[in-house]
């Protein structure tokens, strides 16, 4: 008892430093009343009743419940768009740890965190979408559908989520202050990175391969034997763009907070942004060419001058070639500003592509189509809001955009 | 970098080992399936169907489905083209006869019980089984509710119980597998049909029957058994007096079994699992050695300066 009484102040200060940012609970709570938090709270309050509705009345209460088009926004956004955007973790980790691009080291932790949170929320979206979410572990434990591409996706997302957690562990242990575990976590970095790239290659492409089973349903301009390659290649520029977008948003949000973002790093972001933009331009160009290989392979030239063809052209020129040129132009003029804008534009393009494949161009022949229910949209916005809050909570506490004072320059 | 060779090799071995596990699991999925020899099926002769919907009523009864919104004797139901749902495993639709003055044509729609089902190859928990008797049956005990089977099915058959929050299931025609076939009976809809528009039997026999009818009455039938080759063959077969594309049948599905569409991708998986560690590990070795060389160079420069 006496021992506990002695330790109590230590525990209190530990919690205060690590959870409440060194403030007393009162100060901390008062500090939370800021416009951003108020907006977030309102969104969550609006969304909560629909969360309850989803889990008490079934999917039909919040989605369009279409028998023809069973996948809506939960998967179209949460899985098919969320996962390529979360590719930033494997892209930056492999660039720095495997290819030795040490200059980009300051971007690895934010990228791994973005990836981890991205996958975590992809799983959360999945829990909303699955008819029986509590059976999520079934493909790993109860019944193995080994012929299924989705079986591969399920396994890989689960394994990769764990891998990314391991990759992020050094930051967690620095925060907790456990030197032994931190060293252990650092020791598996290379193995985890390689494993992460393998898993990412396979499940990023597998998300596209899911649609190989829908040849009569997915419009021929998007249905291609190359669709796994399209999904994989586009995850690369999605990941590069996310690294730019993340550093942009974090730098703005943490402006003046030198305790949370190393000012030297922040000052260096522009140089790194230009480097990432350069890589993204090249990958976009590759993807642009590949898309035409897909059209040629299927010999679908005649479809280009239809309304679906115009959408295809808008996507390929507007959301692939245009950002490619903008990146290249920004690199040539050393304009980090333009590259930052283009990164957000590219992210939008990836979303357009994934939503087109998973929702818009799927079942294109059906006379009556519904895409999603407005309640589904509210839920998606609510979940994204929680996602942002979780990300911010971590960045404000863990050494993500800074070196931990105890471990400065250790890696 | 605080990583020595042993640690690195261990990590690579771990990654590779996980790869091998994945390989053996996935390799099973790419075996070829040629179909059960004595599988059963149903031949639907569209020239005989009069749209009485007795089959729908029989299906409703045997599967204990809720009463329909429009009664089974109400012809107004044909104003809209319907699909199967969780409340109706089979539906009859009406199509205008392309021959001027000809009677309308009725098409019964239900699960086709594919020989190599798309739903079964899509399912991540193997909830669908092509039984040796020919029916594609569904095991709700493992279903997670991802609804990939619905996306994969080329015939838009599986339906989901969206409004059941706690035990939603995929609903589709079972060919009366549990209720009748496994007890030596025949599907309820086949038995109920007053026009004998449907024939139940061994699929190989049904194809002979269909050929014979087409051969004996070339003026009455188009020369096509729908389901003989479509998507690799289905247990439910159709013959018709007018071309199938005029009756809402998809005629662009090809003859390739759907599991083959993803076979190429799945067989690439073990390759990536083996090649990637080698390639990426190799790059890592290059990178690490470059650092060593840089350090050596720095030492040499320092020595010279001294």
């Amino acid at each position: 008892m006496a021992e506990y009484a002695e330790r109590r102040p230590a525990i209190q200060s530990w919690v205060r430093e690590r959870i409440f940012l060194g403030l007393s609970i009162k100060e901390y709570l008062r500090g939370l009343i800021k416009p951003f938090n108020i907006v977030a709270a309102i969104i969550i309050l609006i969304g909560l009743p629909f969360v309850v509705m989803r889990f008490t009345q079934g999917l039909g209460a919040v989605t369009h419940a279409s028998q023809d088009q069973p996948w809506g926004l939960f998967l179209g956004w949460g899985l098919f768009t969320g996962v390529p955007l979360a590719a930033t973790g494997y892209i930056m980790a492999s660039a720095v740890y495997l290819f030795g691009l040490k200059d980009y080291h300051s971007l690895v932790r934010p990228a791994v965190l973005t990836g981890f949170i991205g996958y975590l929320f992809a799983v959360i979206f999945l829990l909303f979408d699955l008819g029986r979410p509590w059976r999520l572990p079934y493909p790993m434990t109860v019944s193995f559908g080994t012929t299924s591409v989705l079986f591969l996706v399920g396994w890989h997302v689960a394994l990769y989520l764990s891998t990314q957690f391991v990759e992020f562990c050094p930051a967690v242990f620095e925060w907790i202050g456990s030197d032994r575990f931190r060293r252990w976590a650092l020791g598996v970095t290379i193995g985890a990175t390689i494993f992460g790239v393998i898993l990412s290659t396979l499940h990023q492409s597998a998300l596209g391969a899911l649609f190989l089973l829908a040849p009569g349903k997915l419009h021929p301009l998007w249905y291609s034997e190359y669709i796994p390659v399209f999904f994989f290649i586009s995850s690369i520029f999605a990941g590069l763009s996310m690294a730019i977008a993340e550093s942009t948003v974090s730098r703005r949000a943490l402006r003046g907070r030198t305790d949370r973002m190393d000012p030297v790093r922040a000052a260096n972001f522009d140089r790194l942004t230009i480097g990432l933009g350069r890589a993204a331009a090249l990958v976009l160009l590759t993807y642009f060419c590949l898309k035409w290989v897909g059209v040629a392979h299927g010999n679908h030239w005649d479809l280009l001058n239809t309304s679906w063809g115009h959408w295809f052209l808008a996507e390929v020129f507007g959301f692939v070639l245009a950002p490619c040129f903008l990146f290249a132009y920004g690199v040539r003029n050393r304009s980090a500003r333009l590259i930052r804008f283009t990164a957000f534009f590219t992210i939008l393009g990836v979303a357009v592509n994934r939503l087109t494949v998973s929702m818009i161009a799927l079942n294109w022949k059906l006379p009556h189509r519904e895409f999603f229910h407005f309640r589904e949209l509210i839920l998606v916005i609510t979940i994204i809001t929680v996602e942002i809050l979780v990300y911010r909570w971590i960045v404000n506490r863990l050494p993500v955009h800074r070196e931990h004072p105890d471990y400065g320059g250790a890696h | 970098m605080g990583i020595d060779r042993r640690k690195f090799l261990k990590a690579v071995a771990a990654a590779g080992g996980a790869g091998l596990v994945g390989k053996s699991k996935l390799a099973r999925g790419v075996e070829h399936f040629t179909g059960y020899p004595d599988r059963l099926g149903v031949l639907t002769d569209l020239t005989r169907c009069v749209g009485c919907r007795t089959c729908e009523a029989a299906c409703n009864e045997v599967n204990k489905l809720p009463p329909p919104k429009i009664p089974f004797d109400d012809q107004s139901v044909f104003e809209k083209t319907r699909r199967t749902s969780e409340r109706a495993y089979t539906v009859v639709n009406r199509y205008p006869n392309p021959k001027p003055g000809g009677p309308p044509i009725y098409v019964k729609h239900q699960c086709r019980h594919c020989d190599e089902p798309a739903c079964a190859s899509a399912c991540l928990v193997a909830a669908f089984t092509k039984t040796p008797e020919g029916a594609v049956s569904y095991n709700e005990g493992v279903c997670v509710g991802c609804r990939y089977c619905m996306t994969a099915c080329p015939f838009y058959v599986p339906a989901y119980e969206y409004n059941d929050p706690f035990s939603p299931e995929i609903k589709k025609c079972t060919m009366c597998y549990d209720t009748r076939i496994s007890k030596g009976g025949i599907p309820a809809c086949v038995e109920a049909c007053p026009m004998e528009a449907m024939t139940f039997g061994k699929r190989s026999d049904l194809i002979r029957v269909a050929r014979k009818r087409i051969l004996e009455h070339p003026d009455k039938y188009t020369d096509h058994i729908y389901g003989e080759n479509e998507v690799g063959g289905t247990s439910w077969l159709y013959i018709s007096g007018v071309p199938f594309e005029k009756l809402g049948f998809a005629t662009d599905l090809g003859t390739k079994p759907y599991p083959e569409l993803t076979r190429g991708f799945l067989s690439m998986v073990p390759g990536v699992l083996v090649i990637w560690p080698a390639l990426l590990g190799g790059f890592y070795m290059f990178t690490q050695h470059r650092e060593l060389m840089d350090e050596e160079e720095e030492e040499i420069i320092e020595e010279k300066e001294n």
Side-chain angles (χ1 to χ4, degrees):
Chain A
M1 205 59 200
E3 212 174 284
Y4 176 74
E6 268 169 40
R7 279 175 55 200
R8 225 179 120 188
I11 293 168
Q12 266 181 352
S13 91
W14 192 97
V15 170
R16 180 194 266 209
E17 286 306 318
R18 284 170 179 78
I19 309 285
F20 296 109
L21 305 166
L23 305 168
S24 73
I25 292 177
K26 221 178 192 179
E27 286 172 324
Y28 177 73
L29 290 177
R30 201 175 302 141
L32 285 182
I33 303 168
K34 282 182 192 140
F36 181 88
N37 289 333
I38 292 168
V39 172
I42 291 171
I43 293 173
I44 291 169
L45 280 177
I46 294 171
L48 266 182
F50 296 111
V51 176
V52 175
M53 217 184 242
R54 154 67 188 91
F55 289 105
T56 54
Q57 294 172 37
L59 269 172
V62 294
T63 69
H64 62 7
S66 165
Q67 302 293 6
D68 289 333
Q69 182 139 345
W71 291 346
L73 264 193
F74 288 147
L75 293 188
W77 170 266
L79 188 74
F80 291 111
T81 309
V83 168
L85 297 185
T88 188
Y90 91 87
I91 298 289
M92 295 314 295
S94 57
V96 172
Y97 293 131
L98 303 181
F99 297 99
L101 308 176
K102 297 264 185 278
D103 299 332
Y104 295 86
H105 191 269
S106 61
L107 295 178
V108 174
R109 259 194 201 174
V112 169
L113 179 62
T114 310
F116 173 69
I117 299 286
Y119 276 87
L120 184 65
F121 277 81
V123 173
I124 287 171
F125 274 112
L126 206 57
L127 291 176
F128 273 80
D129 190 72
L130 289 177
R132 303 196 200 194
W134 51 92
R135 286 186 174 178
L136 185 71
Y138 271 32
M140 287 122 206
T141 51
V142 174
S143 186
F144 307 113
T146 51
T147 55
S148 172
V149 177
L150 197 59
F151 177 75
L152 183 143
V153 173
W155 268 89
H156 281 209
V157 168
L159 285 174
Y160 189 49
L161 187 63
S162 323
T163 307
Q164 287 213 307
F165 182 71
V166 170
E167 286 183 76
F168 191 65
C169 263
V172 175
F173 291 125
E174 283 171 23
W175 175 64
I176 294 173
S178 168
D179 196 36
R180 192 156 52 105
F181 285 113
R182 175 183 174 272
R183 260 181 291 149
W184 171 85
L186 277 178
V188 297
T189 303
I190 299 301
T193 305
I194 293 179
F195 193 41
V197 179
I198 296 167
L199 293 172
S200 296
T201 309
L202 289 173
H203 70 247
Q204 292 286 0
S205 49
L207 283 178
L210 286 177
F211 295 99
L212 288 173
L213 275 187
K217 293 185 177 179
L218 182 58
H219 190 279
L221 282 172
W222 285 272
Y223 184 90
S224 162
E225 282 170 46
Y226 294 109
I227 195 168
V229 183
F230 295 157
F231 269 52
F232 175 61
I233 301 284
S234 51
S235 83
I236 298 174
F237 57 75
L240 291 166
S241 299
M242 277 299 282
I244 298 171
E246 195 282 337
S247 63
T248 305
V249 174
S250 286
R251 184 162 71 170
R252 179 160 295 188
L254 299 175
R255 185 180 286 157
R257 298 305 305 251
T258 52
D259 55 328
R260 291 176 202 172
M261 181 180 272
D262 185 349
V264 180
R265 285 188 179 191
N268 200 25
F269 276 164
D270 281 358
R271 283 179 58 222
L272 300 183
T273 295
I274 291 170
L276 294 174
R278 212 166 157 175
L282 182 69
V283 185
L284 277 161
L285 188 64
T286 310
Y287 180 72
F288 176 79
C289 298
L290 264 177
K291 287 293 269 185
W292 290 109
V293 172
V295 176
H297 187 70
N299 200 13
H300 295 313
W301 302 104
D302 54 322
L303 294 173
L304 288 175
N305 198 19
T306 61
S307 54
W308 285 103
H310 300 156
W311 181 235
F312 179 84
L313 292 171
E315 191 201 314
V316 171
F317 282 96
F319 290 107
V320 180
L321 196 62
C324 169
F325 282 150
L326 287 175
F327 272 132
Y329 188 79
V331 170
R332 168 165 277 222
N333 293 294
R334 311 216 49 84
S335 166
R337 211 184 138 86
L338 178 61
I339 292 173
R340 278 197 289 269
F341 165 79
T342 311
F344 285 100
F345 187 34
T346 307
I347 289 166
L348 176 69
V350 172
V352 166
N353 173 258
R354 295 305 197 266
L355 293 175
T356 300
V357 171
S358 66
M359 294 170 73
I360 301 167
L362 195 65
N363 295 318
W364 64 289
K365 280 187 220 161
L366 292 185
H368 305 289
R369 317 260 321 266
E370 311 155 273
F371 291 109
F372 55 85
H373 197 283
F374 81 96
R375 289 173 182 165
E376 200 177 352
L377 182 64
I378 291 177
L379 275 172
V380 167
I381 294 169
T382 309
I383 298 168
I384 295 172
T385 307
V386 175
E387 188 171 357
I388 292 168
L389 290 178
V390 169
Y391 190 87
R392 202 180 60 146
W393 193 92
I394 296 173
V395 167
N396 279 340
R397 284 160 184 80
L398 273 64
V400 174
H401 276 293
R402 61 185 166 92
E403 300 279 1
H404 192 281
D406 298 346
Y407 304 102
H411 44 233
Chain B
M1 295 297 292
I3 296 156
D4 62 27
R5 192 177 54 184
R6 246 178 79 201
K7 276 187 192 160
F8 166 69
L9 290 175
K10 255 196 266 174
V12 171
L20 289 176
V21 174
K23 184 187 167 188
S24 60
K25 264 201 186 108
L26 290 160
R28 250 187 287 150
V30 295
E31 279 166 21
H32 190 61
F33 177 70
T34 46
Y36 297 106
D38 290 333
R39 61 194 183 277
L40 300 163
V42 176
L43 172 67
T44 306
D45 188 334
L46 299 180
T47 63
R48 295 184 183 180
C49 180
V50 293
C52 67
R53 299 177 69 209
T54 314
C55 54
E56 284 189 41
C59 175
N60 179 282
E61 198 192 322
V62 74
N63 289 300
K64 301 187 180 67
L65 297 174
K69 281 174 194 146
I70 301 172
F72 288 117
D73 52 7
D74 188 343
Q75 295 278 310
S76 72
V77 78
F78 292 123
E79 282 160 20
K80 269 204 240 161
T81 304
R82 294 173 300 151
R83 60 153 288 160
T84 52
S85 74
E86 76 278 25
R87 303 160 65 91
Y89 301 169
T90 186
V91 292
V92 178
N93 283 313
R94 184 174 66 193
Y95 293 88
N97 196 324
K99 288 174 198 156
I105 294 155
Y106 297 94
V107 178
K108 181 182 180 294
H109 177 48
Q110 75 297 302
C111 175
R112 307 295 168 88
H113 299 278
C114 303
D115 285 344
E116 295 188 54
C119 56
S121 89
C123 183
L124 82 170
V125 286
F128 291 97
T129 320
K130 175 77 176 175
T131 62
E133 293 87 344
V136 175
S137 72
Y138 162 76
N139 173 9
E140 107 284 335
V142 295
C143 177
V144 177
C146 70
R147 313 188 299 289
Y148 185 27
C149 51
M150 296 166 74
T151 298
C153 176
F155 302 110
Y156 290 96
V157 164
Y160 200 60
E161 294 181 309
Y162 282 102
N163 293 316
D164 183 342
F166 304 115
S167 55
E169 291 176 18
I170 289 287
K171 293 288 185 184
K172 72 166 196 70
C173 161
T174 62
M175 210 196 259
C176 290
Y177 180 71
D178 291 329
T179 46
R180 304 169 72 102
I181 289 185
S182 57
K183 294 167 190 156
I186 72 171
C189 55
V190 178
E191 193 177 72
C193 180
M195 302 306 292
E196 290 183 15
M198 286 175 281
T199 316
F200 177 72
K202 255 166 72 174
R203 185 179 183 271
S204 48
D205 293 340
L206 294 177
I207 286 173
R208 270 190 285 274
V209 172
R211 286 237 175 82
K212 190 160 163 264
R213 282 188 205 168
I214 294 170
L215 204 66
E216 284 171 0
H217 305 280
D219 49 326
K220 195 175 161 194
Y221 293 102
T222 57
D223 188 14
H224 184 178
I225 306 171
Y226 192 97
E228 184 185 8
N229 299 311
E230 274 78 7
V231 300
T234 62
S235 269
W236 212 288
L237 306 162
Y238 291 85
I239 47 174
S240 162
V242 299
F244 284 102
E245 61 264 27
K246 301 257 162 61
L247 303 173
F249 284 78
T251 48
D252 57 353
L253 299 176
T255 56
K256 202 187 211 180
Y258 267 40
E260 274 179 26
L261 295 170
T262 50
R263 185 169 299 174
F265 176 76
L266 288 173
S267 59
M268 181 202 83
V269 170
V272 171
L273 290 169
V274 174
I275 294 164
W276 251 217
L279 201 62
L280 298 167
F283 276 116
Y284 173 66
M285 292 299 185
F286 272 134
T287 307
Q288 213 188 22
H289 189 68
R290 193 178 63 190
E291 274 171 35
L292 277 175
M293 290 195 295
D294 286 349
E295 278 169 27
E296 278 173 7
E297 264 173 40
E298 269 171 36
E299 276 171 25
I300 291 166
I301 290 167
E302 271 173 31
E303 272 172 27
K304 273 186 187 167
E305 279 172 354
N306 291 339

